[in-house]
Amino acid sequence: ADVKKATAYFLLDKMEGRGWVTASEHREGNRPPRKVYAITPEGEAAFQRLLRENLATFASARSASDLGLAFLATLPPAEAVSLLRTRREALVRELADIEAAPRHHGGIQLLIDHQIHYLDSERGWLDETITSLEREAGAPKIGVSHKEN
């Protein structure tokens, strides 16, 4: 998850206020004190409830980068294709990084596999879209295939 440190501490403070975690200060040598959090039985019950709710709920995947797609037709076709190719290159780099992750057990591997599947699907969609835009614009094709990394 992409959670900034300040957000994590804000959320931990809220959970402490709800009785879901307890916090204690620990100091090692001359280092500044640090807070250590522990989950309470109430927190474990809330976690289990929220986990089940999350797993049973479908949330549509939306991305801020999708907004540009709504206005893609306002660009010259060759520029639109070029920009989508740049987007695809970034996606392929991220996919390669995730595919290089070592195998994990259980839920972590499910998360990795889900991300790989999503990115591979997105790459296929981009390939189809780029090909379609090239046809519409009569732009020269530069080899892009679904299996290409």
Side-chain angles (χ1 to χ4, degrees):
D2 293 327
V3 178
K4 294 188 180 345
K5 193 184 287 189
T7 302
Y9 284 113
F10 171 76
L11 294 171
L12 284 165
D13 286 343
K14 280 184 72 170
M15 287 188 276
E16 186 178 15
R18 291 180 178 174
W20 294 355
V21 297
T22 57
S24 57
E25 276 198 8
H26 291 269
R27 180 182 286 245
E28 292 180 19
N30 291 334
R31 302 184 91 177
R34 62 187 178 107
K35 272 189 172 180
V36 175
Y37 294 87
I39 194 164
T40 65
E42 294 84 3
E44 180 64 30
F47 167 73
Q48 292 294 326
R49 178 182 54 76
L50 292 168
L51 173 62
R52 286 173 172 82
E53 181 181 305
N54 177 274
L55 288 172
T57 302
F58 171 76
S60 181
R62 292 188 180 101
S63 167
S65 63
D66 285 346
L67 183 59
L69 296 173
F71 301 99
L72 187 71
T74 66
L75 296 175
E79 184 180 4
V81 166
S82 176
L83 293 167
L84 290 178
R85 286 184 186 279
T86 300
R87 180 178 181 155
R88 184 186 186 281
E89 290 167 9
L91 182 149
V92 167
R93 284 191 301 273
E94 184 172 341
L95 179 57
D97 288 346
I98 293 171
E99 287 176 329
R103 296 285 304 171
H104 291 73
H105 296 288
I108 299 299
Q109 190 59 47
L110 286 175
L111 181 63
I112 292 169
D113 290 343
H114 184 251
Q115 191 65 24
I116 288 170
H117 186 79
Y118 165 76
L119 291 172
D120 195 44
S121 176
E122 181 72 7
R123 179 178 56 186
W125 179 85
L126 277 169
D127 290 345
E128 290 172 13
T129 301
I130 290 167
T131 299
S132 175
L133 290 171
E134 287 173 333
R135 268 193 224 114
E136 288 175 20
K141 290 184 182 178
I142 300 171
V144 174
S145 73
H146 291 277
K147 297 296 180 195
E148 176 187 337
N149 282 332

